[in-house]
Amino acid sequence: MIPSAFRRGALGAVGVVGFLALLEAAGRLGIIDRDVLPYVSVVLATAAELAADGEFHRHVLATLAACASGLLIAFAAAVPAGLLLGTVPVVERSVRPLVEFLRPIPSVSLIPLAMFLFTDSADAKTSLIVYTCCWPLLINTLYGLADVDPLAKDTLRGFGFGEPSVALRVSLPSAAPFIATGVRIAVGVTLIVAVSVEIISPGGGGIGAYLVEAGSANRPDRVLAGVVWAGLLGLAASLLFAAGERRLFRWHTVRTGEAV
């Protein structure tokens, strides 16, 4: 019997190949102006060339480094903050209005402010990634803490453990699957924010800076090839973190009825 995960992956691959084939046919038939959008085959060939391009590698590494550092800083700040808010009701009630006000603000709308506050575009990029990643990490930590079994906490308190010990021994481990989901969600948006900042301020390098350079050189094939690689990197990161989440917290996905 074919595993369901393999079957879903195969169907997804067929859908992607079919879509690309339709675009290629539309270009060959003149439905799409090749001066505006190059053939899919040309874009894919250019993307293959970029795989061996050292300059493009440096741009990719600049973007990935900013994403990784921003995510780590956000994790170090948001998870302890979520633990504090989730275990101290007074603090949670005081801060919740501020959280609900700031959370919906799109990160890209803060790019001009970040550029004003930070003279280095790399610092501006990292700060916006931190801002973006904090919210899914914070909110998922709060959801995880709300899902902790009250009996487990009461049992530990019955043995004389204080609130800090209860939080570290029961609440945080129980909330770990939710925090992992927050990390996976955050990973999905880091690349979007990083490339957006790099497009607006290309001085610090990165995939966005490469797209700007390719556009200035009137090379739409290179622009689209860079977009292809950005999409592949985002997909790879999402799949990697999702696989790690399933492996580490298999017990949680089974309990909640999610597919494994």
PDB file of all heavy atoms in Angstrom, residues 166-206:
ATOM      1  N   VAL A 166       6.832  24.503  38.803  1.00  0.00           N
ATOM      2  CA  VAL A 166       5.689  23.982  38.064  1.00  0.00           C
ATOM      3  C   VAL A 166       5.759  24.413  36.603  1.00  0.00           C
ATOM      4  O   VAL A 166       5.493  23.619  35.688  1.00  0.00           O
ATOM      5  CB  VAL A 166       4.371  24.460  38.708  1.00  0.00           C
ATOM      6  CG1 VAL A 166       3.174  24.073  37.846  1.00  0.00           C
ATOM      7  CG2 VAL A 166       4.216  23.874  40.108  1.00  0.00           C
ATOM      8  N   ALA A 167       6.139  25.664  36.397  1.00  0.00           N
ATOM      9  CA  ALA A 167       6.220  26.173  35.030  1.00  0.00           C
ATOM     10  C   ALA A 167       7.294  25.454  34.228  1.00  0.00           C
ATOM     11  O   ALA A 167       7.092  25.097  33.060  1.00  0.00           O
ATOM     12  CB  ALA A 167       6.494  27.673  35.049  1.00  0.00           C
ATOM     13  N   LEU A 168       8.458  25.241  34.837  1.00  0.00           N
ATOM     14  CA  LEU A 168       9.572  24.623  34.120  1.00  0.00           C
ATOM     15  C   LEU A 168       9.424  23.114  33.975  1.00  0.00           C
ATOM     16  O   LEU A 168       9.865  22.527  32.979  1.00  0.00           O
ATOM     17  CB  LEU A 168      10.890  24.940  34.832  1.00  0.00           C
ATOM     18  CG  LEU A 168      11.314  26.410  34.819  1.00  0.00           C
ATOM     19  CD1 LEU A 168      12.584  26.611  35.638  1.00  0.00           C
ATOM     20  CD2 LEU A 168      11.543  26.892  33.392  1.00  0.00           C
ATOM     21  N   ARG A 169       8.797  22.459  34.975  1.00  0.00           N
ATOM     22  CA  ARG A 169       8.709  20.994  34.967  1.00  0.00           C
ATOM     23  C   ARG A 169       7.457  20.473  34.264  1.00  0.00           C
ATOM     24  O   ARG A 169       7.457  19.348  33.760  1.00  0.00           O
ATOM     25  CB  ARG A 169       8.741  20.458  36.401  1.00  0.00           C
ATOM     26  CG  ARG A 169      10.056  20.675  37.119  1.00  0.00           C
ATOM     27  CD  ARG A 169       9.949  20.304  38.584  1.00  0.00           C
ATOM     28  NE  ARG A 169      11.171  20.559  39.310  1.00  0.00           N
ATOM     29  CZ  ARG A 169      12.143  19.654  39.503  1.00  0.00           C
ATOM     30  NH1 ARG A 169      11.996  18.429  39.017  1.00  0.00           N
ATOM     31  NH2 ARG A 169      13.229  19.950  40.172  1.00  0.00           N
ATOM     32  N   VAL A 170       6.384  21.273  34.252  1.00  0.00           N
ATOM     33  CA  VAL A 170       5.128  20.796  33.683  1.00  0.00           C
ATOM     34  C   VAL A 170       4.662  21.677  32.526  1.00  0.00           C
ATOM     35  O   VAL A 170       4.429  21.196  31.412  1.00  0.00           O
ATOM     36  CB  VAL A 170       4.025  20.726  34.764  1.00  0.00           C
ATOM     37  CG1 VAL A 170       2.688  20.329  34.138  1.00  0.00           C
ATOM     38  CG2 VAL A 170       4.407  19.745  35.851  1.00  0.00           C
ATOM     39  N   SER A 171       4.522  22.966  32.792  1.00  0.00           N
ATOM     40  CA  SER A 171       3.913  23.852  31.797  1.00  0.00           C
ATOM     41  C   SER A 171       4.741  23.954  30.518  1.00  0.00           C
ATOM     42  O   SER A 171       4.216  23.779  29.407  1.00  0.00           O
ATOM     43  CB  SER A 171       3.711  25.250  32.394  1.00  0.00           C
ATOM     44  OG  SER A 171       2.846  25.189  33.514  1.00  0.00           O
ATOM     45  N   LEU A 172       6.027  24.221  30.664  1.00  0.00           N
ATOM     46  CA  LEU A 172       6.866  24.406  29.483  1.00  0.00           C
ATOM     47  C   LEU A 172       6.995  23.134  28.646  1.00  0.00           C
ATOM     48  O   LEU A 172       6.836  23.187  27.420  1.00  0.00           O
ATOM     49  CB  LEU A 172       8.241  24.935  29.900  1.00  0.00           C
ATOM     50  CG  LEU A 172       9.148  25.418  28.762  1.00  0.00           C
ATOM     51  CD1 LEU A 172       8.464  26.525  27.965  1.00  0.00           C
ATOM     52  CD2 LEU A 172      10.481  25.919  29.320  1.00  0.00           C
ATOM     53  N   PRO A 173       7.264  21.960  29.252  1.00  0.00           N
ATOM     54  CA  PRO A 173       7.314  20.737  28.432  1.00  0.00           C
ATOM     55  C   PRO A 173       5.988  20.436  27.740  1.00  0.00           C
ATOM     56  O   PRO A 173       5.975  19.976  26.592  1.00  0.00           O
ATOM     57  CB  PRO A 173       7.668  19.645  29.452  1.00  0.00           C
ATOM     58  CG  PRO A 173       8.370  20.362  30.552  1.00  0.00           C
ATOM     59  CD  PRO A 173       7.688  21.689  30.653  1.00  0.00           C
ATOM     60  N   SER A 174       4.867  20.697  28.425  1.00  0.00           N
ATOM     61  CA  SER A 174       3.570  20.430  27.806  1.00  0.00           C
ATOM     62  C   SER A 174       3.293  21.390  26.655  1.00  0.00           C
ATOM     63  O   SER A 174       2.605  21.035  25.685  1.00  0.00           O
ATOM     64  CB  SER A 174       2.452  20.549  28.852  1.00  0.00           C
ATOM     65  OG  SER A 174       2.616  19.580  29.874  1.00  0.00           O
ATOM     66  N   ALA A 175       3.816  22.604  26.772  1.00  0.00           N
ATOM     67  CA  ALA A 175       3.589  23.600  25.717  1.00  0.00           C
ATOM     68  C   ALA A 175       4.579  23.477  24.571  1.00  0.00           C
ATOM     69  O   ALA A 175       4.426  24.154  23.547  1.00  0.00           O
ATOM     70  CB  ALA A 175       3.680  25.008  26.309  1.00  0.00           C
ATOM     71  N   ALA A 176       5.577  22.605  24.705  1.00  0.00           N
ATOM     72  CA  ALA A 176       6.625  22.494  23.689  1.00  0.00           C
ATOM     73  C   ALA A 176       6.103  22.225  22.287  1.00  0.00           C
ATOM     74  O   ALA A 176       6.592  22.820  21.321  1.00  0.00           O
ATOM     75  CB  ALA A 176       7.638  21.419  24.109  1.00  0.00           C
ATOM     76  N   PRO A 177       5.109  21.329  22.086  1.00  0.00           N
ATOM     77  CA  PRO A 177       4.604  21.122  20.716  1.00  0.00           C
ATOM     78  C   PRO A 177       3.999  22.382  20.114  1.00  0.00           C
ATOM     79  O   PRO A 177       4.158  22.633  18.909  1.00  0.00           O
ATOM     80  CB  PRO A 177       3.539  20.026  20.903  1.00  0.00           C
ATOM     81  CG  PRO A 177       3.915  19.335  22.158  1.00  0.00           C
ATOM     82  CD  PRO A 177       4.496  20.381  23.043  1.00  0.00           C
ATOM     83  N   PHE A 178       3.316  23.170  20.925  1.00  0.00           N
ATOM     84  CA  PHE A 178       2.743  24.425  20.417  1.00  0.00           C
ATOM     85  C   PHE A 178       3.855  25.408  20.054  1.00  0.00           C
ATOM     86  O   PHE A 178       3.755  26.130  19.055  1.00  0.00           O
ATOM     87  CB  PHE A 178       1.823  25.044  21.463  1.00  0.00           C
ATOM     88  CG  PHE A 178       0.562  24.268  21.704  1.00  0.00           C
ATOM     89  CD1 PHE A 178       0.527  23.223  22.622  1.00  0.00           C
ATOM     90  CD2 PHE A 178      -0.607  24.566  21.016  1.00  0.00           C
ATOM     91  CE1 PHE A 178      -0.630  22.509  22.849  1.00  0.00           C
ATOM     92  CE2 PHE A 178      -1.771  23.865  21.229  1.00  0.00           C
ATOM     93  CZ  PHE A 178      -1.784  22.828  22.151  1.00  0.00           C
ATOM     94  N   ILE A 179       4.908  25.443  20.882  1.00  0.00           N
ATOM     95  CA  ILE A 179       6.036  26.330  20.593  1.00  0.00           C
ATOM     96  C   ILE A 179       6.712  25.907  19.295  1.00  0.00           C
ATOM     97  O   ILE A 179       7.101  26.753  18.475  1.00  0.00           O
ATOM     98  CB  ILE A 179       7.029  26.316  21.768  1.00  0.00           C
ATOM     99  CG1 ILE A 179       6.363  26.874  23.037  1.00  0.00           C
ATOM    100  CG2 ILE A 179       8.277  27.124  21.426  1.00  0.00           C
ATOM    101  CD1 ILE A 179       7.214  26.741  24.279  1.00  0.00           C
ATOM    102  N   ALA A 180       6.841  24.590  19.091  1.00  0.00           N
ATOM    103  CA  ALA A 180       7.435  24.093  17.846  1.00  0.00           C
ATOM    104  C   ALA A 180       6.600  24.520  16.639  1.00  0.00           C
ATOM    105  O   ALA A 180       7.149  24.880  15.585  1.00  0.00           O
ATOM    106  CB  ALA A 180       7.557  22.577  17.902  1.00  0.00           C
ATOM    107  N   THR A 181       5.289  24.493  16.779  1.00  0.00           N
ATOM    108  CA  THR A 181       4.422  24.969  15.695  1.00  0.00           C
ATOM    109  C   THR A 181       4.654  26.452  15.443  1.00  0.00           C
ATOM    110  O   THR A 181       4.676  26.913  14.295  1.00  0.00           O
ATOM    111  CB  THR A 181       2.948  24.710  16.036  1.00  0.00           C
ATOM    112  OG1 THR A 181       2.738  23.310  16.219  1.00  0.00           O
ATOM    113  CG2 THR A 181       2.035  25.217  14.929  1.00  0.00           C
ATOM    114  N   GLY A 182       4.830  27.217  16.517  1.00  0.00           N
ATOM    115  CA  GLY A 182       5.130  28.637  16.372  1.00  0.00           C
ATOM    116  C   GLY A 182       6.434  28.870  15.633  1.00  0.00           C
ATOM    117  O   GLY A 182       6.530  29.783  14.810  1.00  0.00           O
ATOM    118  N   VAL A 183       7.445  28.033  15.902  1.00  0.00           N
ATOM    119  CA  VAL A 183       8.714  28.142  15.196  1.00  0.00           C
ATOM    120  C   VAL A 183       8.512  27.870  13.708  1.00  0.00           C
ATOM    121  O   VAL A 183       9.028  28.594  12.851  1.00  0.00           O
ATOM    122  CB  VAL A 183       9.748  27.160  15.784  1.00  0.00           C
ATOM    123  CG1 VAL A 183      11.002  27.121  14.915  1.00  0.00           C
ATOM    124  CG2 VAL A 183      10.104  27.551  17.210  1.00  0.00           C
ATOM    125  N   ARG A 184       7.729  26.830  13.406  1.00  0.00           N
ATOM    126  CA  ARG A 184       7.493  26.491  11.996  1.00  0.00           C
ATOM    127  C   ARG A 184       6.766  27.620  11.271  1.00  0.00           C
ATOM    128  O   ARG A 184       7.081  27.946  10.123  1.00  0.00           O
ATOM    129  CB  ARG A 184       6.682  25.197  11.904  1.00  0.00           C
ATOM    130  CG  ARG A 184       6.302  24.814  10.480  1.00  0.00           C
ATOM    131  CD  ARG A 184       5.894  23.349  10.399  1.00  0.00           C
ATOM    132  NE  ARG A 184       4.872  23.023  11.374  1.00  0.00           N
ATOM    133  CZ  ARG A 184       3.566  23.213  11.189  1.00  0.00           C
ATOM    134  NH1 ARG A 184       3.129  23.767  10.066  1.00  0.00           N
ATOM    135  NH2 ARG A 184       2.698  22.859  12.115  1.00  0.00           N
ATOM    136  N   ILE A 185       5.796  28.233  11.928  1.00  0.00           N
ATOM    137  CA  ILE A 185       5.084  29.355  11.319  1.00  0.00           C
ATOM    138  C   ILE A 185       6.036  30.539  11.126  1.00  0.00           C
ATOM    139  O   ILE A 185       6.020  31.211  10.084  1.00  0.00           O
ATOM    140  CB  ILE A 185       3.888  29.764  12.190  1.00  0.00           C
ATOM    141  CG1 ILE A 185       2.858  28.629  12.236  1.00  0.00           C
ATOM    142  CG2 ILE A 185       3.230  31.043  11.662  1.00  0.00           C
ATOM    143  CD1 ILE A 185       1.743  28.866  13.231  1.00  0.00           C
ATOM    144  N   ALA A 186       6.859  30.785  12.129  1.00  0.00           N
ATOM    145  CA  ALA A 186       7.802  31.906  12.047  1.00  0.00           C
ATOM    146  C   ALA A 186       8.792  31.707  10.908  1.00  0.00           C
ATOM    147  O   ALA A 186       9.129  32.658  10.190  1.00  0.00           O
ATOM    148  CB  ALA A 186       8.541  32.059  13.373  1.00  0.00           C
ATOM    149  N   VAL A 187       9.259  30.473  10.729  1.00  0.00           N
ATOM    150  CA  VAL A 187      10.196  30.185   9.643  1.00  0.00           C
ATOM    151  C   VAL A 187       9.578  30.541   8.300  1.00  0.00           C
ATOM    152  O   VAL A 187      10.253  31.043   7.391  1.00  0.00           O
ATOM    153  CB  VAL A 187      10.609  28.696   9.683  1.00  0.00           C
ATOM    154  CG1 VAL A 187      11.310  28.297   8.391  1.00  0.00           C
ATOM    155  CG2 VAL A 187      11.524  28.433  10.861  1.00  0.00           C
ATOM    156  N   GLY A 188       8.274  30.303   8.178  1.00  0.00           N
ATOM    157  CA  GLY A 188       7.602  30.576   6.914  1.00  0.00           C
ATOM    158  C   GLY A 188       7.544  32.046   6.548  1.00  0.00           C
ATOM    159  O   GLY A 188       7.428  32.383   5.360  1.00  0.00           O
ATOM    160  N   VAL A 189       7.623  32.916   7.533  1.00  0.00           N
ATOM    161  CA  VAL A 189       7.509  34.357   7.245  1.00  0.00           C
ATOM    162  C   VAL A 189       8.856  35.082   7.277  1.00  0.00           C
ATOM    163  O   VAL A 189       8.953  36.213   6.796  1.00  0.00           O
ATOM    164  CB  VAL A 189       6.537  35.044   8.232  1.00  0.00           C
ATOM    165  CG1 VAL A 189       5.145  34.472   8.080  1.00  0.00           C
ATOM    166  CG2 VAL A 189       7.016  34.919   9.671  1.00  0.00           C
ATOM    167  N   THR A 190       9.886  34.440   7.832  1.00  0.00           N
ATOM    168  CA  THR A 190      11.187  35.118   7.907  1.00  0.00           C
ATOM    169  C   THR A 190      11.714  35.455   6.527  1.00  0.00           C
ATOM    170  O   THR A 190      12.234  36.560   6.286  1.00  0.00           O
ATOM    171  CB  THR A 190      12.227  34.253   8.635  1.00  0.00           C
ATOM    172  OG1 THR A 190      12.288  32.959   8.014  1.00  0.00           O
ATOM    173  CG2 THR A 190      11.888  34.094  10.098  1.00  0.00           C
ATOM    174  N   LEU A 191      11.592  34.506   5.601  1.00  0.00           N
ATOM    175  CA  LEU A 191      12.120  34.729   4.254  1.00  0.00           C
ATOM    176  C   LEU A 191      11.379  35.860   3.548  1.00  0.00           C
ATOM    177  O   LEU A 191      11.985  36.650   2.816  1.00  0.00           O
ATOM    178  CB  LEU A 191      12.012  33.435   3.453  1.00  0.00           C
ATOM    179  CG  LEU A 191      12.860  33.349   2.177  1.00  0.00           C
ATOM    180  CD1 LEU A 191      14.344  33.452   2.521  1.00  0.00           C
ATOM    181  CD2 LEU A 191      12.582  32.049   1.435  1.00  0.00           C
ATOM    182  N   ILE A 192      10.067  35.939   3.773  1.00  0.00           N
ATOM    183  CA  ILE A 192       9.277  37.012   3.153  1.00  0.00           C
ATOM    184  C   ILE A 192       9.763  38.375   3.624  1.00  0.00           C
ATOM    185  O   ILE A 192       9.985  39.292   2.820  1.00  0.00           O
ATOM    186  CB  ILE A 192       7.785  36.835   3.492  1.00  0.00           C
ATOM    187  CG1 ILE A 192       7.264  35.510   2.932  1.00  0.00           C
ATOM    188  CG2 ILE A 192       6.959  38.002   2.956  1.00  0.00           C
ATOM    189  CD1 ILE A 192       5.850  35.183   3.372  1.00  0.00           C
ATOM    190  N   VAL A 193       9.941  38.510   4.930  1.00  0.00           N
ATOM    191  CA  VAL A 193      10.377  39.795   5.481  1.00  0.00           C
ATOM    192  C   VAL A 193      11.793  40.130   5.020  1.00  0.00           C
ATOM    193  O   VAL A 193      12.086  41.268   4.611  1.00  0.00           O
ATOM    194  CB  VAL A 193      10.306  39.759   7.020  1.00  0.00           C
ATOM    195  CG1 VAL A 193      10.866  41.042   7.621  1.00  0.00           C
ATOM    196  CG2 VAL A 193       8.877  39.551   7.476  1.00  0.00           C
ATOM    197  N   ALA A 194      12.682  39.127   5.074  1.00  0.00           N
ATOM    198  CA  ALA A 194      14.079  39.378   4.699  1.00  0.00           C
ATOM    199  C   ALA A 194      14.188  39.847   3.256  1.00  0.00           C
ATOM    200  O   ALA A 194      14.854  40.854   2.964  1.00  0.00           O
ATOM    201  CB  ALA A 194      14.899  38.102   4.910  1.00  0.00           C
ATOM    202  N   VAL A 195      13.532  39.144   2.336  1.00  0.00           N
ATOM    203  CA  VAL A 195      13.626  39.509   0.916  1.00  0.00           C
ATOM    204  C   VAL A 195      12.970  40.865   0.672  1.00  0.00           C
ATOM    205  O   VAL A 195      13.465  41.669  -0.135  1.00  0.00           O
ATOM    206  CB  VAL A 195      12.985  38.412   0.048  1.00  0.00           C
ATOM    207  CG1 VAL A 195      12.918  38.854  -1.414  1.00  0.00           C
ATOM    208  CG2 VAL A 195      13.774  37.115   0.159  1.00  0.00           C
ATOM    209  N   SER A 196      11.879  41.151   1.373  1.00  0.00           N
ATOM    210  CA  SER A 196      11.209  42.448   1.207  1.00  0.00           C
ATOM    211  C   SER A 196      12.134  43.596   1.591  1.00  0.00           C
ATOM    212  O   SER A 196      12.228  44.605   0.878  1.00  0.00           O
ATOM    213  CB  SER A 196       9.937  42.492   2.058  1.00  0.00           C
ATOM    214  OG  SER A 196       9.012  41.501   1.657  1.00  0.00           O
ATOM    215  N   VAL A 197      12.818  43.445   2.727  1.00  0.00           N
ATOM    216  CA  VAL A 197      13.749  44.498   3.159  1.00  0.00           C
ATOM    217  C   VAL A 197      14.904  44.628   2.174  1.00  0.00           C
ATOM    218  O   VAL A 197      15.341  45.737   1.840  1.00  0.00           O
ATOM    219  CB  VAL A 197      14.273  44.200   4.581  1.00  0.00           C
ATOM    220  CG1 VAL A 197      15.302  45.248   4.998  1.00  0.00           C
ATOM    221  CG2 VAL A 197      13.129  44.170   5.575  1.00  0.00           C
ATOM    222  N   GLU A 198      15.399  43.492   1.688  1.00  0.00           N
ATOM    223  CA  GLU A 198      16.539  43.518   0.758  1.00  0.00           C
ATOM    224  C   GLU A 198      16.172  44.187  -0.562  1.00  0.00           C
ATOM    225  O   GLU A 198      17.020  44.826  -1.185  1.00  0.00           O
ATOM    226  CB  GLU A 198      17.017  42.089   0.513  1.00  0.00           C
ATOM    227  CG  GLU A 198      17.681  41.455   1.733  1.00  0.00           C
ATOM    228  CD  GLU A 198      17.770  39.948   1.629  1.00  0.00           C
ATOM    229  OE1 GLU A 198      17.261  39.381   0.628  1.00  0.00           O
ATOM    230  OE2 GLU A 198      18.331  39.323   2.547  1.00  0.00           O
ATOM    231  N   ILE A 199      14.927  44.044  -0.993  1.00  0.00           N
ATOM    232  CA  ILE A 199      14.501  44.693  -2.232  1.00  0.00           C
ATOM    233  C   ILE A 199      14.471  46.210  -2.061  1.00  0.00           C
ATOM    234  O   ILE A 199      14.893  46.968  -2.939  1.00  0.00           O
ATOM    235  CB  ILE A 199      13.123  44.163  -2.668  1.00  0.00           C
ATOM    236  CG1 ILE A 199      13.245  42.712  -3.149  1.00  0.00           C
ATOM    237  CG2 ILE A 199      12.511  45.032  -3.758  1.00  0.00           C
ATOM    238  CD1 ILE A 199      11.916  42.062  -3.468  1.00  0.00           C
ATOM    239  N   ILE A 200      13.973  46.656  -0.907  1.00  0.00           N
ATOM    240  CA  ILE A 200      13.876  48.093  -0.664  1.00  0.00           C
ATOM    241  C   ILE A 200      15.242  48.699  -0.354  1.00  0.00           C
ATOM    242  O   ILE A 200      15.550  49.824  -0.758  1.00  0.00           O
ATOM    243  CB  ILE A 200      12.889  48.361   0.486  1.00  0.00           C
ATOM    244  CG1 ILE A 200      11.478  47.930   0.062  1.00  0.00           C
ATOM    245  CG2 ILE A 200      12.892  49.826   0.890  1.00  0.00           C
ATOM    246  CD1 ILE A 200      10.447  48.044   1.150  1.00  0.00           C
ATOM    247  N   SER A 201      16.075  47.930   0.366  1.00  0.00           N
ATOM    248  CA  SER A 201      17.415  48.413   0.712  1.00  0.00           C
ATOM    249  C   SER A 201      18.432  47.342   0.330  1.00  0.00           C
ATOM    250  O   SER A 201      18.848  46.532   1.159  1.00  0.00           O
ATOM    251  CB  SER A 201      17.489  48.719   2.212  1.00  0.00           C
ATOM    252  OG  SER A 201      18.772  49.167   2.576  1.00  0.00           O
ATOM    253  N   PRO A 202      18.841  47.297  -0.931  1.00  0.00           N
ATOM    254  CA  PRO A 202      19.687  46.209  -1.415  1.00  0.00           C
ATOM    255  C   PRO A 202      21.165  46.317  -1.043  1.00  0.00           C
ATOM    256  O   PRO A 202      21.953  45.449  -1.408  1.00  0.00           O
ATOM    257  CB  PRO A 202      19.512  46.291  -2.937  1.00  0.00           C
ATOM    258  CG  PRO A 202      19.208  47.724  -3.204  1.00  0.00           C
ATOM    259  CD  PRO A 202      18.436  48.218  -2.012  1.00  0.00           C
ATOM    260  N   GLY A 203      21.522  47.348  -0.302  1.00  0.00           N
ATOM    261  CA  GLY A 203      22.939  47.558  -0.009  1.00  0.00           C
ATOM    262  C   GLY A 203      23.576  46.448   0.794  1.00  0.00           C
ATOM    263  O   GLY A 203      24.777  46.193   0.672  1.00  0.00           O
ATOM    264  N   GLY A 204      22.795  45.760   1.623  1.00  0.00           N
ATOM    265  CA  GLY A 204      23.360  44.715   2.470  1.00  0.00           C
ATOM    266  C   GLY A 204      23.421  43.350   1.824  1.00  0.00           C
ATOM    267  O   GLY A 204      23.814  42.380   2.472  1.00  0.00           O
ATOM    268  N   GLY A 205      23.059  43.219   0.560  1.00  0.00           N
ATOM    269  CA  GLY A 205      23.083  41.932  -0.112  1.00  0.00           C
ATOM    270  C   GLY A 205      21.866  41.097   0.239  1.00  0.00           C
ATOM    271  O   GLY A 205      20.964  41.529   0.964  1.00  0.00           O
ATOM    272  N   GLY A 206      21.830  39.888  -0.282  1.00  0.00           N
ATOM    273  CA  GLY A 206      20.704  38.994  -0.041  1.00  0.00           C
ATOM    274  C   GLY A 206      19.958  38.684  -1.333  1.00  0.00           C
ATOM    275  O   GLY A 206      20.228  39.258  -2.400  1.00  0.00           O
TER     276      GLY A 206
END
